[in-house]
Amino acid sequence: KVMLECLIVGDSIAVGTKMFAPHCELQGKGGINSWQFNKMYKGSFYADTLIISLGSNDHKGVKTYDELFEMRQRVGAKNVFWVLPAGGLPIEKVQFIVKELAAYYGDTVLPIRGLQPDGIHPSWSGYKDIVERTKE
């Protein structure tokens, strides 16, 4: 298997993060939830650094914990970072799940520092900050 230097997976926040991380590959699509992600991207995720942004688009019909756990089991990466969702329904539940899974696997959680007016997506400086923190 080819080990990528950096891989970003997930939703529109993943797509935005890629714009500030030209050294990273992207497997993601704007607007998708965790269940849709697992249906679209079935393989494993091998990289030195993996950045995950999922959960922001999850709704009550999505079993967020099950979907994120299933996805995380397919990861083979040295350093795994979860972008902590800032929006979505109900966001506290999704944030709790992300923190719980990251703690279980020893991953790093990156709260978004700097949001766009929608309260969900990072500002340009917020995206740059996410990428910088994955390089430390």
Side-chain angles (χ1 to χ4, degrees), residues 82-122:
W82 293 80
V83 177
L84 190 65
L89 282 171
I91 198 55
E92 291 78 19
K93 184 182 168 207
V94 174
Q95 288 175 335
F96 179 80
I97 291 167
V98 167
K99 288 175 182 171
E100 195 175 34
L101 281 171
Y104 177 80
Y105 281 102
D107 301 338
T108 303
V109 175
L110 301 175
I112 298 169
R113 300 194 290 218
L115 286 167
Q116 288 184 29
D118 66 7
I120 296 171
H121 297 89

Side-chain angles (χ1 to χ4, degrees), residues 33-53:
N33 63 41
S34 303
W35 178 80
Q36 290 169 314
F37 179 87
N38 282 337
K39 284 195 74 73
M40 290 173 70
Y41 301 97
K42 295 196 178 297
S44 296
F45 306 101
Y46 291 100
D48 287 336
T49 299
L50 180 72
I51 304 169
I52 303 165
S53 175

